[in-house]
């Protein structure tokens, strides 16, 4: 089929471009659905802690499913790392190395070169070449390391966090390399579950190859490849227009992490965001140096957080691809918290430091786009990992909390914020899959900051562990509350308890059968003067149990 050309004969006409864009994004979404349906672990099939994307032959992202922000902004580096190994049609590479395109070790990435099938009319002779890459990334519930779940709070180097996989051929000429798969599975707990989740990722990448071949058949090779360039150019143009609408200037902000798992001392993150015409430069000069603990974040993770914020303060409807990010540059000093050198521990950087980067960049841009920046959200993923030393089970969850109030509406209650977008694990699934009993799962009254618009409420989740296990907690906002803005009050800080006794924000402990672990997550900050809150909204808060009588001041 020959696509319609633009009236001037130059490029694809707008209708065909829009059809192609939606079809490419549909491929990425279908990859995600294939991965979720085929996975075995609750972390992927229930929580959907995974992401998928489609890249062109030059390693540019052309479409992504709207899954986990911290995954998606870092995927281009994974493709770049694989391309250094001269991939060939029929290969699939696996990696998780945070210093070679990964984020943290539990996030396992698969990269598959896509080439038309040899028996396809489009795949004969010289056309049998790589036209793109299918990429899937999923958080595996265990990849080895010093503790079950591979999220140790006290890790001091990456070797303690699990098996580190540089770009490695898992599949060659369409056949799985059993020696490589055996090596991977020999170094993880619950290898049966890991094997099934790896299979699901392979299936997701295969689905992308099949669907892209369908597009070649429908539109023709030349038109589809030209469409890759066109969708990227379209997004870049729209993003540049949005950036031009922001006032030029340099905007600065500072925030802190509450220790690194080794010490409780605050760790400073500084940012200067410069808007200059149609470009945004984000510079983290002055940020703390590389840490002894595990909150170090590879630059790709910090970059993901910046991309997320830029999309939030511009037009989130811009098609998500390489073009969205062309006007944005991100810098951090070498050997710093946000650009560490190996063998730095990084498992907490991906989940907690990324959230603080989001907060500090939002704070910096609040002056430039005040109506688009909410009050402080919970600012943490509230990572809870519970597992057996014998590898019989590993449970991992990020727990939602309060979203910051907006300039025209309340914050959302009990949701994931910032760099994660997962679902919760249903109570029925938890009690079926694991030796747990869920004692409580509820919103926290009075946890949202008061204001003309109220911050979202945090959550409380309490689990009783019915066997010996190791519990790891990686959390934030236990000391410094999510901030209110424009006269709004701060949200409530979070709290961690084991059998009713407070424990640190970052801790790993062995527990006996019958131990109850409780996580109370932070609320969001309020927006505007609390005295200006609509009386009807205040009455609704009381009727819904969001506030108690003491809060109706």
């Amino acid at each position: 089929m020959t696509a319609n050309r633009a009236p001037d004969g130059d490029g694809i006409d707008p209708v065909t471009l829009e059809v192609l864009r939606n079809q490419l994004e549909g491929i990425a979404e279908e990859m995600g659905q294939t991965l979720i349906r085929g996975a075995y672990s609750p972390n992927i099939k229930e929580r959907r802690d995974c992401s998928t994307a489609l890249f062109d032959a030059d390693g540019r992202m052309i479409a992504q499913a709207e899954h986990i922000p911290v995954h998606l902004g870092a995927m281009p580096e994974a493709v770049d790392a694989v391309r250094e190994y001269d991939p060939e049609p029929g290969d699939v590479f696996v990696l998780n190395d945070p210093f070679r395109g990964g984020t943290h070790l539990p996030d396992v990435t698969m990269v598959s070169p896509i080439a038309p099938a040899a028996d396809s009319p489009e795949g004969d002779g010289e056309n049998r070449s790589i036209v793109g890459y299918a990429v899937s990334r999923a958080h595996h519930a265990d990849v080895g390391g010093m503790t079950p779940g591979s999220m140790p709070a006290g890790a001091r180097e990456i070797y303690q966090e699990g098996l580190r996989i540089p770009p490695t051929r898992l599949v060659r000429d369409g056949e799985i390399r059993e020696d490589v798969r055996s090596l991977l599975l020999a170094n993880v707990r619950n290898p049966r579950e890991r094997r099934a989740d790896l299979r699901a990722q392979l299936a997701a990448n295969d689905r992308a190859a099949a669907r892209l071949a369908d597009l070649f058949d429908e539109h023709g090779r030349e038109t589809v490849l030209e469409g890759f360039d066109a969708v990227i150019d379209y997004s870049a143009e729209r993003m540049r227009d949005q950036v031009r609408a922001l006032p030029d200037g340099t905007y600065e902000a500072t925030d802190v992490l509450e220790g690194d798992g080794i010490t409780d001392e605050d760790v400073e993150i500084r940012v200067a965001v410069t808007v200059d015409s149609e470009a945004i430069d984000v510079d983290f000069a002055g940020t703390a140096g590389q840490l002894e603990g595990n909150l170090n974040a590879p630059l790709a993770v910090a970059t993901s957080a910046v991309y997320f914020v830029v999309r939030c303060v511009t037009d989130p409807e811009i098609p998500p691809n390489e073009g969205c990010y062309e006007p944005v540059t991100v810098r951090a000093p070498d050997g710093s918290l946000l650009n560490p050198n190996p063998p730095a521990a990084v498992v907490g950087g991906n989940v907690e430091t990324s959230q603080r980067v989001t907060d500090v960049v939002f704070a910096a841009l609040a002056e430039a786009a005040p109506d688009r920046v909410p009050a402080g959200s919970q600012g943490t993923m509230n990572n809870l990992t519970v597992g057996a030393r014998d590898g019989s089970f590993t449970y991992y969850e990020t727990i939602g909390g309060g979203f910051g109030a907006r300039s025209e509406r309340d914050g959302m209650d009990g949701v994931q914020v910032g760099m994660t977008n997962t679902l919760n694990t249903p109570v029925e699934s938890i009690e079926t899959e694991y030796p747990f009993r869920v004692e409580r799962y509820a919103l926290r009254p009075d946890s949202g900051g008061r204001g003309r618009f109220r911050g979202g409420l945090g959550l409380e989740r309490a689990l009783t562990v019915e066997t010996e296990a190791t519990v790891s907690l990686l959390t934030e906002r236990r000391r410094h509350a999510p901030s209110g803005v424009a006269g709004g009050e701060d949200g409530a800080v979070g709290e961690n308890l084991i059998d009713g006794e407070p424990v640190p924000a970052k801790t790993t402990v062995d527990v006996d059968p019958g131990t109850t672990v409780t996580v109370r997550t932070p609320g969001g900050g309020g927006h505007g003067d609390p005295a200006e809150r609509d009386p009807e909204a205040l009455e609704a808060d009381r009727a819904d149990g969001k506030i108690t009588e003491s809060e109706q001041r």
Side-chain angles (χ1 to χ4, degrees), residues 294-494:
N294 70 11
L295 263 67
N296 300 292
L299 185 59
V301 170
T303 300
S304 295
V306 171
Y307 288 167
F308 169 78
V309 174
V310 170
R311 291 203 66 201
C312 288
V313 302
T314 55
D315 181 358
E317 297 301 317
I318 296 174
N321 57 49
E322 176 87 7
C324 278
Y325 314 127
E326 282 185 3
V328 184
T329 57
V330 182
R331 296 178 289 153
D334 184 56
S336 69
L337 168 69
L338 301 181
N339 192 8
N341 295 314
V346 299
V347 71
N350 182 64
V351 291
E352 293 302 305
T353 306
S354 66
Q355 295 283 61
R356 196 62 64 252
V357 172
T358 300
D359 288 348
V360 76
V361 178
F362 264 132
L365 286 172
E367 183 180 347
D371 292 338
R372 297 190 179 185
V373 174
S377 296
Q378 69 161 340
T380 175
M381 295 191 195
N382 302 294
N383 303 270
L384 172 61
T385 309
V386 186
R389 291 280 179 183
D390 64 7
S392 57
F393 74 91
T394 48
Y395 159 82
Y396 172 67
E397 178 125 37
T398 58
I399 304 174
F403 193 95
R406 280 72 58 84
S407 60
E408 296 182 346
R409 66 183 64 183
D410 292 346
M412 294 176 284
D413 303 320
V415 295
Q416 302 286 2
V417 305
M419 298 308 291
T420 186
N421 192 32
T422 58
L423 304 181
N424 71 165
T425 309
V427 171
E428 298 84 354
S429 178
I430 290 175
E431 295 187 337
T432 299
E433 300 278 354
Y434 305 104
F436 300 160
R437 185 173 66 253
V438 179
E439 306 290 353
R440 181 174 175 80
Y441 190 34
L443 295 172
R444 292 179 65 196
D446 302 331
S447 58
R450 296 194 312 140
R452 180 184 180 192
F453 296 101
R454 178 173 295 281
L457 300 185
L459 292 169
E460 179 175 339
R461 171 160 264 181
L463 304 174
T464 295
V465 184
E466 298 179 331
T467 186
E468 291 184 352
T470 299
V471 174
S472 290
L473 287 156
L474 282 172
T475 61
E476 277 282 323
R477 294 296 190 206
R478 268 49 184 175
R479 245 184 0 246
H480 301 290
S483 58
V485 298
E489 296 182 359
D490 294 347
V493 297

Side-chain angles (χ1 to χ4, degrees), residues 136-369:
S136 61
R137 176 168 287 172
H139 184 115
H140 288 246
D142 188 277
V143 290
M146 64 189 286
T147 62
S150 311
M151 299 281 287
R156 295 170 182 257
E157 55 184 7
I158 195 168
Y159 310 116
Q160 296 174 299
E161 296 178 336
L163 179 65
R164 182 176 167 197
I165 311 167
T168 302
R169 276 186 178 85
L170 176 63
V171 176
R172 186 191 295 274
D173 294 329
E175 298 294 329
I176 292 178
R177 298 177 62 191
E178 289 297 341
D179 54 345
V180 174
R181 183 162 64 177
S182 296
L183 178 64
L184 300 181
L185 297 178
N187 286 279
V188 301
R189 300 171 182 88
N190 200 345
R192 177 170 170 265
E193 188 176 84
R194 300 289 76 71
R195 177 189 291 267
D197 288 347
L198 290 172
R199 267 203 315 263
Q201 286 187 254
L202 289 171
N205 287 18
D206 287 346
R207 182 61 57 89
R211 291 294 180 255
L212 193 59
D214 291 343
L215 287 192
F216 274 40
D217 290 341
E218 180 180 351
H219 298 287
R221 178 190 181 96
E222 181 180 349
T223 297
V224 175
L225 295 182
E226 189 174 351
F228 290 177
D229 292 330
V231 296
I232 291 173
D233 291 343
Y234 174 69
S235 290
E237 182 178 356
R238 287 187 59 182
M239 180 57 77
R240 284 192 291 268
D241 287 343
Q242 288 286 307
V243 174
R244 276 194 293 267
L246 297 173
D248 286 356
T250 297
Y251 308 95
E252 299 181 351
T254 303
D255 208 331
V256 297
L257 294 164
E258 300 167 340
D260 66 350
I262 305 299
T263 75
D264 289 333
E265 296 179 5
D266 285 348
V267 179
E268 190 171 75
I269 298 177
R270 300 180 62 87
V271 70
V273 181
T274 300
V275 180
D276 183 7
S277 184
E278 58 184 32
I280 295 180
D281 177 73
V282 181
D283 188 356
F284 290 100
T287 291
Q290 185 168 316
L291 302 176
E292 185 178 5
N294 70 11
L295 263 67
N296 300 292
L299 185 59
V301 170
T303 300
S304 295
V306 171
Y307 288 167
F308 169 78
V309 174
V310 170
R311 291 203 66 201
C312 288
V313 302
T314 55
D315 181 358
E317 297 301 317
I318 296 174
N321 57 49
E322 176 87 7
C324 278
Y325 314 127
E326 282 185 3
V328 184
T329 57
V330 182
R331 296 178 289 153
D334 184 56
S336 69
L337 168 69
L338 301 181
N339 192 8
N341 295 314
V346 299
V347 71
N350 182 64
V351 291
E352 293 302 305
T353 306
S354 66
Q355 295 283 61
R356 196 62 64 252
V357 172
T358 300
D359 288 348
V360 76
V361 178
F362 264 132
L365 286 172
E367 183 180 347

Side-chain angles (χ1 to χ4, degrees), residues 9-23:
D10 184 20
I12 301 174
D13 74 89
V15 173
T16 302
L17 174 60
E18 186 66 7
V19 169
L20 267 175
R21 181 183 69 79
N22 280 278
Q23 288 177 316

Side-chain angles (χ1 to χ4, degrees), residues 40-195:
Y40 187 84
S41 66
N43 192 52
I44 300 174
K45 71 180 181 182
E46 298 283 4
R47 293 186 59 247
R48 304 186 179 186
D49 195 346
C50 58
S51 298
T52 51
L54 196 62
F55 288 73
D56 72 4
D58 294 323
R60 300 180 303 168
M61 183 188 292
I62 56 175
Q64 65 184 50
E66 298 283 20
H67 290 149
I68 312 299
V70 77
H71 289 176
L72 295 167
M75 278 187 178
E77 290 200 14
V79 178
D80 289 343
V82 167
R83 291 176 67 227
E84 294 177 6
Y85 286 76
D86 297 323
E88 298 178 357
D91 289 346
V92 180
F93 280 77
V94 62
L95 65 93
N96 72 350
D97 187 349
F99 302 102
R100 300 294 305 278
T103 48
H104 64 174
L105 296 183
D107 286 342
V108 177
T109 303
M110 287 197 186
V111 180
S112 303
I114 299 176
D119 58 353
S120 165
E122 298 289 349
D124 296 330
E126 64 181 11
N127 286 332
R128 176 63 171 153
S129 59
I130 294 171
V131 298
Y133 296 88
V135 184
S136 61
R137 176 168 287 172
H139 184 115
H140 288 246
D142 188 277
V143 290
M146 64 189 286
T147 62
S150 311
M151 299 281 287
R156 295 170 182 257
E157 55 184 7
I158 195 168
Y159 310 116
Q160 296 174 299
E161 296 178 336
L163 179 65
R164 182 176 167 197
I165 311 167
T168 302
R169 276 186 178 85
L170 176 63
V171 176
R172 186 191 295 274
D173 294 329
E175 298 294 329
I176 292 178
R177 298 177 62 191
E178 289 297 341
D179 54 345
V180 174
R181 183 162 64 177
S182 296
L183 178 64
L184 300 181
L185 297 178
N187 286 279
V188 301
R189 300 171 182 88
N190 200 345
R192 177 170 170 265
E193 188 176 84
R194 300 289 76 71
R195 177 189 291 267

